[in-house]
Each structure stands twice: as structure tokens, then as C-alpha cells.
Amino acid sequence: GGRGHGCAPPEPKPISYWYREQPVGSLAHCGVFQHLSAEVDQFVASVDHHIKTKEGARREQMLCVLRALILAFFEENRKKYRRAQADQPIGVEVFGSYSTNLFLPTSDIDLAIVNVELPAADPHPLAYDFTQELLLSIAEWIDPRSAHNERDHPELHEWISGVQFIPAKTPLLTVRTTTSVEGHTTQIDISVVTGKHHGIQTAKLVQRYCEGLPTLRPLVLVLKHLLSQRGMNKPFEGGLSSYALTLMAIAFLQTPQLYNNAHTDVGQQLCSLCAFYGGVAVPSGAHLLVPKHINGLGQIVPVTFFDYNLLGISVRPPHEQQQQQQGQHHERPPALFSLVPFNGPLDGSRLCVEDPMDRTNNVGRTAFNISEIQRTFRLAYGVFSTPCVCCVGASPPRQCSNLLRRLFLY
């Protein structure tokens, strides 16, 4: 007794070390989408506040130190490592989520070394061996225990806690750095731009998508945190890469009937996206007409949710997206969701997401744990669409204003 139908106070466990718990406001009689939109806005504001006030300056300072160290390495070894273009300097550029502003406090930072001359013959084995040798040499150079760093950069002992070479498809040098006064770490991944490295161009493309789709950033930030909490954000462990997740969100947003053409309602978009990729019919009841080609004959198949066994994703280019928003239509617009195989390899994976920078690259190929990812999307939709216990039977009817908290702490 005593509490009636009032909501229980929020649990003391924080959503994350950087999350600022604040009341959403008076939304007692609003619908679930309005509640969810307000909570997403608060979540994004919390991300921005923490990065700006707690870690942003220190993170930028660490990046400046690393850049300077790497450039000093090339200056010291200028006879061994030459410029690919003589009139351009060797450089170190940020790409990935940090450069596109799709960055959480727990996200990695991607650095690319550009304009290094590769071996004259550039078949993969030679380029790979060259890149591996280069990154291992840089690892020794930036080691806080090296003589020149002990002398010139003693602060590196406080900043760098570990350096490791990762022999991935694109070789990486990972640097663990302490980027906050609380001791939380940020991983910085250093790679070398070769013929198959599209990271910098990809970041510019994603920025264009963010400019044309205002709700893309809040959607991606919430979904990245959700997957991260469940350990499903690491491609090398079968999770979903940030790039693949972003392309999935773009394709969804480019299909307005899936969220009832509510272009600015991020709550409705988030709920509908989780339903669609969770294997549940979207709340609007919409369906897609997906082209299917069998023996040269075209068919149209109605689809109510994303079937990972049958469908592939191919996003529309930003200029066509803008033309569509302006009411200009193409006679044959590219399919965002099509029955696989699409213009790219199946390579045995259950998630097919075509890379707009390289149509032969399936960026979903490493997500072998896609069934758990789908289950997570479905769980999120269930949280958003099911009233919490403290609101069942309330008079007047209302929605609980802690939907994201319930989801993240589920």
C-alpha cells in the first residue's frame, strides 16, 4: 500500500559512468514515442556533456601527442619511409566515429597514417608485410619506456598503458590510453592507408548522411550503447561493427514507410527500427515490396520485417536520398533491402550489408553472432512496447519515463 500507482524511484545503479541522470520532464499523459524521444534527447545531451566537460580536452591532447610522436618517427626514418606523393607530407588523420560525431565516451578512436609509399609491387602479401613491419616499428617508437620518450615525453607513462599489434585483415596497432581523471581508458587504433583502406573516405560519406538524416546520430548512439553493454559491438567476436550498424540505420531511415513517415520523431523511429531488425512487424503495419529475381524473371515479394536469412542491405547514395526528400523520384531507384545475393559476395554470413565505398565488400560478414543481435533488437522493441509494472492499471493511463533505463539495465 501507500504508493498507489506511482512509479517506483529509479534504481541506484547508473546506466554508465558518464551518464547524467535527470528527470525527463512532465510527460505523464504522453505516448510512448514522445517519452522515448525525450529520453533519447537526454541520452545524447549526456554524451555531449561528458565528452565536452570531462574527457574531450584530454583526449585531444593525447591525439596531438601521438600525432607528434608518429610524425617524428617518419622524420627520423625519412630515408626508409618515403612519401607516396612527393608534394604531400606523410600525415596522421582521424577517421571513424570520432570524426563523424557518432562517438560514445567508451568508443575507440581510429587514426590513419597517410601518404606512405608502399613497396613497388603492391600485391597483398608485400603490402601486408610492409604495413606490419611499419606498425611494429612505430610501437617501439611510442613506447613510454624508450630513451627518447623518457627524456622528451615522461608524461607518456601516465597516458599510455599498453601497445599491441593486431594482425587483422587491416593490420592495427592498438594503444590503450588513460583519457579521464577517473582512470577510464580509450583505445586508439592506428592503421596505414593502403589500396583497400577506405576509412577516411568512408568517414566523409557518413558525415554527408548525418547532414541529410538529422535523427541518424541519436539513433546510432543509443544502439551503439545497447550493443556495447551486451558485448555485441566487437566484430572480431562476432558482433556488429559501428559501420555496419550505421549503414543499417541509414537504410532504415531511407525507407520512411517503416516509421510512418515520422521524419523527426526519433522515438517512433527507434521503436520501429528495433522491431524491424528484431524480426517483428513495425508498429505502423507497413510492408516493403522487395524485388526478387529468379532465372531472369522479376518478382515482387512483400516483407514486413528484416529476415537475415533472405535480405541484404544497400543504402541509397546521399544525393539520391536528398532528391527523394525533395520529391524527385527515379524510374528505377536502388533497392535498400533486396533478396540476397545482391551485388556482392554472400561469403557464408547471415548478415549482408553492402559497403557503399566498395560494392564487393560485405561489412556484415564478421557478425556471425547475428542471432543474438537480432534478439537484442527484439528485446528493445519489447521494452518500448510493453508498459512497466508500475504503470499497469494507472489512472489516468500513462507511460513510464524510464524506457531507456529499463532497456540498458535489463
Side-chain angles (χ1 to χ4, degrees):
R3 288 190 180 182
H5 296 298
C7 281
E11 299 177 21
K13 181 181 178 182
I15 287 178
S16 185
Y17 73 90
W18 48 263
Y19 189 74
R20 300 172 72 207
E21 196 73 50
Q22 292 183 329
V24 170
S26 179
L27 295 169
H29 308 298
C30 295
V32 62
F33 296 148
Q34 291 166 292
H35 267 284
L36 196 50
S37 292
E39 290 185 50
V40 170
D41 289 344
Q42 177 188 313
F43 179 87
V44 174
S46 184
V47 170
D48 292 340
H49 177 268
H50 180 86
I51 290 175
K52 181 179 179 180
T53 63
K54 301 291 185 182
E55 297 179 6
R58 186 173 172 89
R59 190 174 279 118
E60 282 294 323
Q61 188 178 356
M62 181 69 244
L63 287 174
C64 287
V65 169
L66 268 182
R67 272 198 190 98
L69 282 171
I70 294 171
L71 295 178
F73 166 84
F74 284 108
E75 179 62 25
E76 183 74 14
N77 297 275
R78 57 186 176 278
K79 292 183 179 180
K80 183 175 182 180
Y81 301 107
R82 300 180 182 275
R83 302 175 181 181
Q85 298 181 39
D87 60 336
Q88 298 292 325
I90 292 175
V92 181
E93 298 187 22
V94 177
F95 68 101
S97 63
Y98 194 72
S99 65
T100 59
N101 206 23
L102 298 178
F103 182 83
L104 290 171
T106 53
S107 297
D108 299 342
I109 299 177
D110 299 299
L111 287 182
I113 299 171
V114 300
N115 201 37
V116 179
E117 186 178 63
L118 298 175
D122 190 21
H124 178 71
L126 281 177
Y128 187 94
D129 291 345
F130 171 84
T131 302
Q132 175 174 309
E133 185 272 334
L134 172 56
L135 290 175
L136 288 172
S137 298
I138 292 174
E140 294 181 12
W141 180 266
I142 66 177
D143 189 333
R145 298 167 296 182
S146 66
H148 65 276
N149 286 330
E150 291 280 12
R151 180 186 67 247
D152 300 330
H153 297 286
E155 73 278 7
L156 287 183
H157 283 286
E158 300 178 13
W159 292 74
I160 297 179
S161 57
V163 181
Q164 182 182 7
F165 175 76
I166 306 294
K169 182 180 179 182
T170 299
L172 293 176
L173 188 65
T174 65
V175 183
R176 298 295 301 178
T177 67
T178 302
T179 50
S180 73
V181 292
E182 293 90 354
H184 299 290
T185 62
T186 295
Q187 178 171 305
I188 300 178
D189 296 330
I190 304 172
S191 55
V192 180
V193 171
T194 60
K196 284 289 187 179
H197 191 302
H198 303 296
I200 295 172
Q201 296 94 325
T202 296
K204 293 177 181 178
L205 178 66
V206 171
Q207 285 174 332
R208 291 181 61 194
Y209 280 119
C210 287
E211 292 168 1
L213 299 167
T215 56
L216 177 61
R217 180 175 183 251
L219 281 176
V220 170
L221 290 181
V222 169
L223 294 172
K224 283 181 70 170
H225 185 64
L226 172 64
L227 294 177
S228 174
Q229 282 199 315
R230 285 159 174 76
M232 298 179 191
N233 63 326
K234 299 175 181 177
F236 54 88
E237 295 179 359
L240 197 59
S241 71
S242 174
Y243 185 35
L245 176 64
T246 301
L247 291 175
M248 291 171 71
I250 291 170
F252 178 83
L253 291 175
Q254 289 181 338
T255 317
Q257 65 265 38
L258 290 176
Y259 49 93
N260 206 27
N261 293 286
H263 294 282
T264 60
D265 188 343
V266 70
Q268 182 163 349
Q269 291 171 359
L270 178 59
C271 187
S272 301
L273 182 148
C274 290
F276 183 69
Y277 287 123
V280 181
V282 295
S284 68
H287 65 271
L288 302 176
L289 297 178
V290 177
K292 179 179 182 181
H293 299 279
I294 302 177
N295 298 326
L297 300 177
Q299 292 183 333
I300 300 296
V301 179
V303 172
T304 58
F305 59 84
F306 188 81
D307 188 331
Y308 293 82
N309 286 310
L310 297 176
L311 296 176
I313 295 170
S314 177
V315 298
R316 182 175 292 119
H319 69 276
E320 291 186 9
Q321 166 188 297
Q322 184 178 13
Q323 290 170 348
Q324 181 199 36
Q325 291 170 343
Q326 294 172 350
Q328 304 174 32
H329 298 283
H330 298 267
E331 291 183 8
R332 298 183 62 186
L336 301 179
F337 304 99
S338 58
L339 295 180
V340 293
F342 56 87
N343 184 24
L346 274 175
D347 56 37
S349 62
R350 281 195 58 204
L351 176 61
C352 293
V353 184
E354 189 180 67
D355 184 353
M357 298 301 301
D358 178 2
R359 297 295 181 184
T360 66
N361 181 34
N362 174 17
V363 299
R365 69 184 181 279
T366 57
F368 58 80
N369 202 17
I370 195 63
S371 60
E372 287 300 316
I373 296 169
Q374 180 187 31
R375 191 174 292 115
T376 298
F377 284 128
R378 189 184 308 124
L379 173 111
Y381 175 68
V383 169
F384 299 150
S385 59
T386 305
C388 68
V389 174
C390 59
C391 291
V392 173
S395 181
R398 56 190 172 82
Q399 288 285 345
C400 187
S401 61
N402 58 2
L403 293 167
L404 287 184
R405 164 174 280 278
R406 286 170 55 203
L407 173 63
F408 292 147
L409 298 182
Y410 190 85

